[in-house]
């Protein structure tokens, strides 16, 4: 039976821990220049409805390092659900490739692809979730903090796909998750309810960024206007002003906190240059780990 990775909850706790271990092994081999052509001759079709730097490059280079090949299908090319129906796209791509990675607006597009394709489908970001990002982020936390269990993780900003994914993972791995958003910009209520029902982590919502950040091991933020919300940028800038990650806010965190951001960042909006480029920032390790975790995910699903 083929498996997909559309949401963190598609993997069990043991499987996620195995993916971390495999990612570390593959990263080590990559750094030592040891060939690891585990997906030799295999092809990943990559569908992008939205722009990308990290996701495209990390999947493409990762596939190359695994001995396979990645085909980029940009926003103008495939017309997912418009030029061609979602099931037809899936049934064509499965004739040419052994896996599909898709970055989409509506989450139903990745579930639709997965339902029709007989090959694994990986979610490379939807409006709802960004699961590859969050597993890579946990790998970065493990590398910098030694573990993830009980980590005090403060997310400050918009209740978007990134924080929905953190909530999903908090239903599987034990975290101390604190989320500060403005009123009416909270994360997805169904995802929150399901994660809380699993009883694995503390998940606290507040409108007070200082409360979220107090004693935090990790401070995480993301853009105030996600891809597709560009027309709301000015309005959101006013609403989110008090949620900027800056020297005054981070002063409330643990002394050895790390700063994380999935990137791209809007310097001067959700975060200042001083924090982005400061001694606590691990943002480029975080970006690099996208590739190592995704290689592990592709090996798990496509080998
Ligand atoms: N973090 C992330 O997914 O970056 P891109 O949008 O550049 O792929
Ligand atoms: N929330 C952001 C994440 C970008 C990686 C977006 O969806 O645009």
């Amino acid at each position: 039976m083929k498996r997909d990775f559309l949401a963190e909850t598609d993997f069990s706790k043991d499987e996620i821990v195995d993916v971390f271990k495999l990612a570390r092994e593959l990263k080590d081999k990559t750094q030592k220049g040891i060939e690891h052509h585990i997906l030799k001759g295999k092809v990943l079709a990559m569908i992008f409805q939205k722009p990308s730097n990290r996701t495209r490059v990390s999947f493409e280079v990762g596939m190359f390092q695994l001995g396979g090949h990645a085909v980029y299908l940009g926003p103008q090319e495939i017309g997912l659900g418009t030029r061609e129906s979602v099931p037809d796209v899936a049934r064509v791509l499965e004739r040419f490739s052994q896996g599909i990675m898709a970055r989409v607006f509506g989450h139903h597009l990745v579930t639709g692809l997965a339902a029709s394709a007989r090959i694994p489908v990986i979610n490379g970001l939807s409006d709802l979730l960004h699961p590859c990002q969050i597993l890579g982020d946990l790998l970065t936390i493990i590398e910098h903090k030694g573990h993830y269990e009980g980590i005090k993780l403060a997310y400050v900003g918009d209740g978007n796909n990134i924080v929905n994914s953190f909530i999903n993972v908090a239903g599987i791995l034990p975290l101390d998750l604190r989320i500060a958003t403005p009123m009416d910009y909270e994360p997805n209520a169904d995802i929150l309810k399901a994660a809380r029902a699993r009883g694995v982590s503390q998940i606290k919502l507040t409108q007070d960024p200082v409360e979220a950040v107090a004693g935090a091991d990790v401070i995480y933020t993301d853009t105030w206007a996600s891809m597709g919300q560009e027309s709301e940028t000015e309005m959101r800038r006013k609403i989110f002003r008090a949620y900027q990650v800056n020297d005054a806010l981070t002063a409330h965190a643990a002394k050895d906190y790390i700063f994380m951001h999935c990137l791209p960042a809007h310097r001067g909006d959700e975060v200042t240059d001083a924090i982005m480029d400061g001694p606590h920032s691990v943002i480029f390790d975080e970006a690099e780990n996208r590739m190592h975790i995704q290689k592990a995910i592709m090996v798990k699903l496509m080998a």
Side-chain angles (χ1 to χ4, degrees), residues 16-130:
I16 291 178
V17 171
D18 282 349
V19 166
F20 291 152
K21 190 165 163 273
L22 181 57
R24 297 285 300 242
E25 287 166 14
L26 295 174
K27 182 170 182 175
D28 189 54
K29 285 199 168 83
T30 306
Q31 288 173 340
K32 289 182 177 147
I34 301 170
E35 194 180 280
H36 48 285
H37 288 171
I38 306 168
L39 297 182
K40 191 167 190 291
K42 303 216 170 175
V43 173
L44 179 76
M46 308 193 297
I47 303 173
F48 282 90
Q49 286 192 325
K50 299 176 178 179
S52 171
N53 175 2
R54 281 143 293 274
T55 304
R56 182 200 171 162
V57 178
S58 58
F59 269 106
E60 193 162 330
V61 174
M63 201 56 188
F64 171 78
Q65 291 179 358
L66 289 166
H69 181 74
V71 177
Y72 173 74
L73 299 159
Q76 310 309 322
E77 281 163 298
I78 197 150
L80 185 64
T82 51
R83 182 172 182 270
E84 195 164 8
S85 79
V86 173
D88 286 355
V89 169
R91 284 143 75 189
V92 169
L93 291 179
E94 73 181 17
R95 300 295 177 108
F96 300 120
S97 59
Q98 287 69 47
I100 298 171
M101 189 285 298
R103 163 166 287 196
V104 297
F105 287 95
H107 190 73
H108 67 280
L109 295 170
V110 282
T111 55
L113 284 169
S116 300
R118 288 171 299 180
I119 56 174
V121 177
I122 299 171
N123 180 0
L125 180 147
S126 66
D127 286 346
L128 188 68
L129 296 171
H130 197 358

Side-chain angles (χ1 to χ4, degrees), residues 276-293:
M276 284 283 283
D277 303 322
H280 297 273
S281 176
V282 299
I283 53 175
F284 300 114
D285 291 345
E286 181 183 1
E288 182 192 329
N289 277 336
R290 288 291 305 282
M291 183 177 78
H292 303 300
I293 204 79

Side-chain angles (χ1 to χ4, degrees), residues 50-51 54-55 103-104 124-130 133 155 158 160-163 220 222-230 261-264 266 290:
K50 299 176 178 179
R54 281 143 293 274
T55 304
R103 163 166 287 196
V104 297
L125 180 147
S126 66
D127 286 346
L128 188 68
L129 296 171
H130 197 358
Q133 178 75 50
Y155 176 92
D158 184 29
N160 61 17
N161 42 12
I162 293 292
V163 71
Y220 199 118
D222 183 19
T223 181
W224 292 336
S226 285
M227 290 179 274
Q229 299 172 333
E230 288 81 1
H261 191 312
C262 57
L263 307 179
H266 304 80
R290 288 291 305 282

Side-chain angles (χ1 to χ4, degrees), residues 66-295:
L66 289 166
H69 181 74
V71 177
Y72 173 74
L73 299 159
Q76 310 309 322
E77 281 163 298
I78 197 150
L80 185 64
T82 51
R83 182 172 182 270
E84 195 164 8
S85 79
V86 173
D88 286 355
V89 169
R91 284 143 75 189
V92 169
L93 291 179
E94 73 181 17
R95 300 295 177 108
F96 300 120
S97 59
Q98 287 69 47
I100 298 171
M101 189 285 298
R103 163 166 287 196
V104 297
F105 287 95
H107 190 73
H108 67 280
L109 295 170
V110 282
T111 55
L113 284 169
S116 300
R118 288 171 299 180
I119 56 174
V121 177
I122 299 171
N123 180 0
L125 180 147
S126 66
D127 286 346
L128 188 68
L129 296 171
H130 197 358
C132 295
Q133 178 75 50
I134 267 43
L135 291 198
D137 292 345
L138 282 160
L139 185 67
T140 306
I141 291 171
I142 294 167
E143 286 176 352
H144 283 274
K145 292 279 154 203
H147 65 103
Y148 58 78
E149 295 91 345
I151 280 286
K152 296 184 179 66
L153 197 158
Y155 176 92
V156 179
D158 184 29
N160 61 17
N161 42 12
I162 293 292
V163 71
N164 289 337
S165 276
F166 269 121
I167 294 170
N168 251 346
V169 97
I172 306 169
L173 306 177
L175 305 174
D176 179 350
L177 186 58
R178 305 99 167 271
I179 299 162
T181 71
M183 195 179 14
D184 299 332
Y185 290 88
E186 290 89 1
N188 182 283
D190 294 332
I191 290 176
L192 183 64
K193 195 172 160 206
R196 280 183 168 152
R198 286 174 174 237
V200 173
S201 296
Q202 292 199 48
I203 308 174
K204 186 177 171 52
L205 256 61
T206 174
Q207 288 167 20
D208 178 2
V210 172
E211 186 186 355
V213 162
D217 304 305
V218 180
I219 301 179
Y220 199 118
T221 191
D222 183 19
T223 181
W224 292 336
S226 285
M227 290 179 274
Q229 299 172 333
E230 288 81 1
S231 66
E232 297 176 25
T233 302
E234 275 314 313
M235 181 193 77
R236 284 170 172 261
R237 206 168 257 149
K238 295 188 189 90
I239 293 167
F240 284 86
R241 189 168 295 142
Y243 293 80
Q244 185 187 68
V245 176
N246 53 30
D247 287 331
L249 183 63
T250 57
H252 298 276
K255 292 230 165 337
D256 61 349
Y257 86 92
I258 56 173
F259 170 72
M260 301 182 73
H261 191 312
C262 57
L263 307 179
H266 304 80
R267 290 168 176 258
D269 282 344
E270 73 269 11
V271 59
T272 59
D273 284 334
I275 299 298
M276 284 283 283
D277 303 322
H280 297 273
S281 176
V282 299
I283 53 175
F284 300 114
D285 291 345
E286 181 183 1
E288 182 192 329
N289 277 336
R290 288 291 305 282
M291 183 177 78
H292 303 300
I293 204 79
Q294 287 158 196
K295 283 169 72 181

